Amino acid sequence: MEKITGLINAPFTPFLANGDVNLEPIEAYAAMLQKNGLKGVFINGSSGEGYMLTTDERKQLAEKWVSVAPAGFKVIVHVGSCCLRDSVELARHAQAIGAWGIGSMAPPFPHIGRIEELVKYCEQIAAAAPELPFYYYHIPAFNGAYLPMVELLKAVDGRIPNFAGIKYTYESLYEYNQCRLYKNGKYDMLHGQDETILPSLAQGGARGGIGGTTNYNGRELVAIIDSWQKGDIEAARMHQNFAQAVINVICHYRGNIIAGKRIMKLIGFDLGPNRVPFQNMTDAEEQQMKAELEAIGFFERCNLR
C-alpha cells in the first residue's frame, strides 16, 4: 500500500452566514493548498467540524473535493460517526466517487475503552470500502479513547486487509515511533501535531503527516521537512519554532477550529462562521489576533493565494 510522503491538510468546512455548507470556495481552496506544498486533504474531520455535519452534507463536500482536486492531490474522507451505519454508508460513498482513501476516529459516544471494541468499529468501516486505504485517526483528547496504538496495530494486522496506518494526533512521540517501527515500518504513521513535526523527523523514518495549521501556515510546515531533508537543521528549527509561535497565537482564541478558520479570512479565504455550539470569534478578537500575528511576521510567511 502506498505510503504518504509530505503533508496532508485538514481543511475547514466553508459555511454561508446562515450556516449552510458553501461549496463555492473549495476549488480555489484546493488550488491554494497545492500551490503552497500540501499533498492532499483529509476532509470532514475535526478541523472541518465533521461531527456537526449531516450525512448528506458530508457526501456533498466529498463529491466537491474529489471533483476539483488537482492532479495527484489526494482526497481522504473522514467517515467517522457515532452511528456506525452512517460511517459504513459514507465509506461506500467515498469509494464510489473516487476518493483516494478513508479514515475514522473513535466515536465520542459511546466511549470505546477496549482495543477489541475499536477493531470491530474500524473493521466494519474498512470493509465497506475495501479498495481504499483506511486510516485510524488517533485523537484521544476528542473522544477519550486513550488506547495503546501498538496494540491496535497488532490487533488489525492480518484482520483488516486495507488498514493503512494511523493519523497520530497525540503527545507521545515515544509511542508514535514505536508504532512506526512495528514490523519494520509496515504501517503508514502520519504525524498529526504541527507543533512537533521536527522531533518526529529526528527519530528517523517519519515521511508524512496531516495538519490543521497547514491551512494557512503550510509553507512554513513544508519548509521544516524540506530543510530537514537538505540537512539544514538550523533552518528546520527556525521554521518549527515559527510554527509554534503561530500556534501560540491561535491558542489565545480557542484554537485552530475557531481561530484558524478566522485566519483564513485574514489571508483572503472567508470560509464563514463555525457552527453552534462553537463560540465564534468577535470582531474585536479578530483585530487583536491580527495584531498578534503581525507582531511575529505571519503575513509575510503564510500561505499564498
Side-chain angles (χ1 to χ4, degrees):
M1 215 175 293
E2 178 185 351
K3 290 187 177 180
I4 293 171
T5 299
L7 295 177
I8 301 290
N9 179 67
F12 303 109
T13 295
F15 294 121
L16 297 170
N18 67 358
D20 289 347
V21 169
N22 180 14
L23 301 178
E24 189 278 330
I26 291 176
E27 184 170 8
Y29 196 173
M32 180 274 286
L33 293 170
Q34 186 187 53
K35 176 181 178 179
N36 288 283
L38 284 305
K39 304 302 182 183
V41 285
F42 183 51
I43 68 167
N44 298 344
S46 51
S47 295
E49 303 174 65
Y51 278 90
M52 301 162 78
L53 301 168
T54 68
T55 299
D56 284 344
E57 287 173 332
R58 293 171 74 168
K59 287 181 178 180
Q60 291 170 25
L61 286 158
E63 289 167 8
K64 184 66 175 182
W65 276 103
V66 169
S67 71
V68 302
F73 195 74
K74 294 177 170 62
V75 178
I76 305 171
V77 183
H78 176 261
V79 299
S81 171
C82 292
C83 175
L84 181 56
R85 292 188 176 189
D86 283 347
S87 294
V88 167
E89 181 180 343
L90 289 166
R92 288 175 179 152
H93 177 261
Q95 180 169 291
I97 65 173
W100 184 86
I102 58 171
S104 177
M105 66 177 78
F109 179 85
H111 175 72
I112 287 182
R114 297 189 306 124
I115 288 290
E116 180 59 21
E117 294 168 358
L118 181 56
V119 173
K120 287 180 178 178
Y121 178 78
C122 293
E123 189 173 35
Q124 291 195 40
I125 297 172
E131 298 174 11
L132 301 185
F134 170 85
Y135 286 87
Y136 173 62
Y137 179 8
H138 183 51
I139 185 166
F142 277 24
N143 51 33
Y146 289 93
L147 295 170
M149 289 296 99
V150 174
E151 295 305 312
L152 176 65
L153 295 182
K154 291 177 181 178
V156 301
D157 195 355
R159 180 168 168 180
I160 303 179
N162 56 331
F163 191 97
I166 298 173
K167 178 193 174 186
Y168 190 89
T169 307
Y170 187 52
E171 289 75 19
S172 177
L173 287 172
Y174 167 71
E175 183 184 52
Y176 168 79
N177 199 49
Q178 290 299 297
C179 290
R180 191 190 60 77
L181 292 171
Y182 176 77
K183 288 196 174 178
N184 296 314
K186 178 174 181 176
Y187 291 105
D188 197 8
M189 291 299 301
L190 299 174
H191 186 70
Q193 290 196 307
D194 296 345
E195 56 269 44
T196 54
I197 290 175
L198 183 55
S200 75
L201 294 170
Q203 288 183 113
R207 298 172 55 179
I210 301 178
T213 67
T214 45
N215 279 287
Y216 42 87
N217 202 34
R219 294 173 70 206
E220 288 292 318
L221 294 160
V222 168
I224 297 169
I225 298 174
D226 289 346
S227 298
W228 172 263
Q229 291 175 341
K230 293 174 183 174
D232 191 342
I233 306 305
E234 287 306 313
R237 287 173 179 160
M238 181 270 292
H239 292 297
Q240 180 70 86
N241 289 339
F242 181 75
Q244 290 189 357
V246 174
I247 291 168
N248 289 343
V249 172
I250 65 172
C251 286
H252 298 160
Y253 302 96
R254 299 182 291 286
N256 181 60
I257 298 173
I258 296 168
K261 196 170 192 181
R262 192 63 68 96
I263 291 175
M264 297 300 287
K265 175 188 172 186
L266 296 177
I267 67 171
F269 274 92
D270 189 347
L271 303 178
N274 297 101
R275 280 193 167 169
V276 175
F278 282 120
Q279 181 186 350
N280 281 276
M281 288 182 65
T282 65
D283 291 342
E285 286 177 320
E286 178 184 315
Q287 290 306 306
Q288 180 59 38
M289 181 176 70
K290 182 180 178 183
E292 292 184 33
L293 292 169
E294 288 172 340
I296 63 173
F298 169 76
F299 294 103
E300 292 74 44
R301 300 169 69 164
C302 64
N303 283 359
L304 300 174
R305 288 206 63 168

